[in-house]
Amino acid sequence: MRKDTKVVGPFAQLVTLESLPLKGSISDHTLRIIDQGAVKIKNGIIVEVGEFTKEFIHDCEVEEIFEQMVLIPGLIDCHTHLVWGGNRARDYTMRMSGQSYQDILAAGGGIFDSVAKTQAASSDQLLHDLQTRADRHLKDGVTTIEVKTGYGLLPDQELKLLNVIKNGKSIVKADLVPTCLAAHVCPKEFEKPDFLKHIENELLPEIMVKGLANRVDIFVEDNAFPVEIARSYLQSARKLGFDITIHADQFTVGGSDLAIEVGALSADHLEASGDQEILRLAQSDVVPVALPGASIGLGMQYTPARKLLNAGCSLAIATDWNPGSAPMGDLLVQASLLGIYEKLSAAELLAGMTFRAGAALNLFDRGQLSPGKKADMIGFPLSDFREIFYNQGKAKPVKVWKKGELI
């Protein structure tokens, strides 16, 4: 028996997501579904998928599944803000009762409230909270988690948050992908161009030298950082070797065009994107990322996911888990709601939370159950994959494998 190779199965359905396109619409009937399927794994990597037969399992260690289960790839959340201090429950209830963002700011709330609480929190407390949130995400089947900074703002505080994420990698079983979002909002003591130049000169080179992140994000809006001043900052970040992602077209357009111009991996939000923005995105390699949690938290329209896919765009789906606009942090619930409102197929939802989300992170070694991919897998106590969304996200995985190990 080959002790270095094991087979996990049989599963009532094994949904591989292999051979699906990175861009455009996907019908459910194009999915490869293996009934009574199994996965063969060596050194944390999938070497073969197929039916659970005597021939398939021959000479392998077998991790047998005795209950009816649907297996899909581990989920990838490509946009979160998991490092923050305190909470903004007061802001949320004020928003529910109809008060405006300016009203909330005047009452001492808003993003600067999170900045103050995060700056005041110790690294140990922030690490504990990061681990708690990431572990909850992993239990819900999210095996790869992008984590942004952005509630530190100032270079020393942003470095503190990046070191928290670095330390989190050693204690969290999910993969954490750090992103520097120092350009979240402008501190009150700076002018916007001066602040971006300060980050560019004092923070980004140190991040690159210390290997704390290889991704840079910026919130492109007139009340955050307008296109005109964001452009040079992103161009400088690219020259330093960073991958780029952008908070784009959330309230006004312009950010998605900038994402295309600077060669960003993804443009995230896009709730305000119109037909022209969608057409240009479809003609680019930028991955649009829908954030339904922010739409729910702010009570606004969803990203035009159906139009994006029909135009030939890719579409990733992420939580935007943060203390202000998206405190839920439940990817399966949010994707299920986005699907029914935007009329997405189950295949499109699954792709958006797996290999298409991986592409938004420049990670192509996961998100599909096929040879050569990481054996990140999640099993649901169901007989049909469509029940995942039929239950509107309340069906959760009961087994999670990370690199082939059951955790």
Side-chain angles (χ1 to χ4, degrees):
M1 178 179 292
R2 292 178 295 169
K3 292 294 186 180
D4 64 340
T5 303
K6 75 174 180 179
V7 171
V8 184
F11 296 95
Q13 288 185 334
L14 194 157
V15 186
T16 68
L17 300 185
E18 61 184 335
S19 302
L20 295 177
L22 184 58
K23 299 178 69 173
S25 302
I26 311 174
S27 299
D28 288 352
H29 75 267
T30 63
L31 292 172
R32 183 189 179 197
I33 300 173
I34 305 173
D35 295 329
Q36 296 304 303
V39 183
K40 192 174 292 185
I41 301 165
K42 181 177 180 180
N43 297 326
I45 303 297
I46 297 170
V47 294
E48 189 178 358
V49 295
E51 293 184 18
F52 189 87
T53 63
K54 289 182 178 179
E55 293 76 17
F56 190 85
I57 69 175
H58 175 69
D59 204 29
C60 295
E61 179 184 350
V62 178
E63 185 178 317
E64 192 161 2
I65 304 300
F66 295 101
E67 58 189 301
Q68 186 167 256
M69 194 172 294
V70 171
L71 188 75
I72 68 171
L75 305 180
I76 299 170
D77 192 345
C78 62
H79 184 130
T80 83
H81 304 249
L82 286 197
V83 186
W84 78 78
N87 70 68
R88 292 192 3 231
R90 181 186 63 166
D91 288 16
Y92 193 83
T93 54
M94 291 175 70
R95 192 182 306 124
M96 282 197 307
S97 61
Q99 297 189 55
S100 70
Y101 185 68
Q102 294 303 320
D103 294 334
I104 294 170
L105 281 177
I111 191 171
F112 286 110
D113 183 34
S114 287
V115 170
K117 290 172 180 174
T118 303
Q119 290 180 349
S122 69
S123 293
D124 287 345
Q125 182 62 53
L126 293 170
L127 179 60
H128 173 270
D129 293 345
L130 169 62
Q131 182 181 12
T132 299
R133 295 170 189 136
D135 284 350
R136 196 196 89 180
H137 232 13
L138 182 63
K139 186 177 180 181
D140 286 348
V142 183
T143 54
T144 298
I145 309 169
E146 187 261 12
V147 184
K148 301 181 191 297
T149 62
Y151 295 113
L153 301 187
L154 300 175
D156 61 330
Q157 291 289 332
E158 286 289 300
L159 288 170
K160 179 177 81 170
L161 301 187
L162 286 166
N163 277 299
V164 166
I165 300 169
K166 178 183 177 181
N167 292 333
K169 290 181 179 183
S170 65
I171 59 174
V172 171
K173 292 182 179 178
D175 287 335
L176 303 183
V177 180
T179 300
C180 176
L181 180 59
H184 199 177
V185 290
C186 184
K188 297 173 183 178
E189 62 268 30
F190 282 89
E191 295 295 325
K192 292 177 181 179
D194 296 337
F195 178 60
L196 290 183
K197 186 60 69 173
H198 184 60
I199 299 171
E200 179 186 325
N201 293 335
E202 302 299 326
L203 179 61
L204 297 189
E206 188 166 358
I207 292 173
M208 185 58 74
V209 167
K210 292 182 176 179
L212 292 173
N214 65 358
R215 293 167 44 85
V216 163
D217 196 351
I218 185 171
F219 186 20
V220 176
E221 286 286 346
D222 287 343
N223 62 355
F225 297 100
V227 169
E228 292 72 21
I229 65 171
R231 179 182 289 108
S232 61
Y233 171 72
L234 293 173
Q235 289 171 340
S236 297
R238 282 295 300 270
K239 288 179 182 177
L240 287 170
F242 287 98
D243 287 337
I244 302 299
T245 182
I246 296 179
H247 281 60
D249 294 6
Q250 184 176 11
F251 304 108
T252 59
V253 298
S256 60
D257 284 343
L258 180 61
I260 296 166
E261 179 185 338
V262 300
L265 290 175
S266 70
D268 303 24
H269 277 294
L270 306 179
E271 294 92 340
S273 298
D275 291 343
Q276 292 304 310
E277 287 76 28
I278 291 170
L279 177 61
R280 288 190 285 268
L281 282 166
Q283 295 169 344
S284 77
D285 293 324
V286 177
V287 178
V289 180
L291 302 172
S295 297
I296 295 166
L298 295 173
M300 63 185 292
Q301 74 274 12
Y302 288 106
T303 300
R306 182 74 269 152
K307 287 186 175 182
L308 286 160
L309 289 166
N310 286 350
C313 292
S314 186
L315 181 76
I317 304 167
T319 63
D320 196 17
W321 195 355
N322 73 71
S325 61
M328 180 203 299
D330 192 314
L331 185 55
L332 285 168
V333 169
Q334 292 174 20
S336 299
L337 292 174
L338 181 70
I340 198 66
Y341 279 96
E342 283 294 313
K343 309 309 176 191
L344 307 180
S345 70
E348 288 164 342
L349 294 177
L350 290 172
M353 296 185 289
T354 55
F355 70 93
R356 287 179 167 180
L361 299 176
N362 204 25
L363 297 175
F364 297 93
D365 61 348
R366 64 198 73 191
Q368 293 167 311
L369 301 180
S370 60
K373 304 293 186 181
K374 285 190 176 183
D376 293 353
M377 317 181 301
I378 57 176
F380 293 82
L382 307 169
S383 60
D384 189 314
F385 76 97
R386 292 169 292 192
E387 295 178 64
I388 297 170
F389 303 110
Y390 171 68
N391 284 281
Q392 299 176 321
K394 292 300 288 183
K396 301 297 187 186
V398 292
K399 290 185 182 292
V400 178
W401 290 264
K402 184 64 183 167
K403 298 177 184 175
E405 295 301 318
L406 182 64
I407 55 175

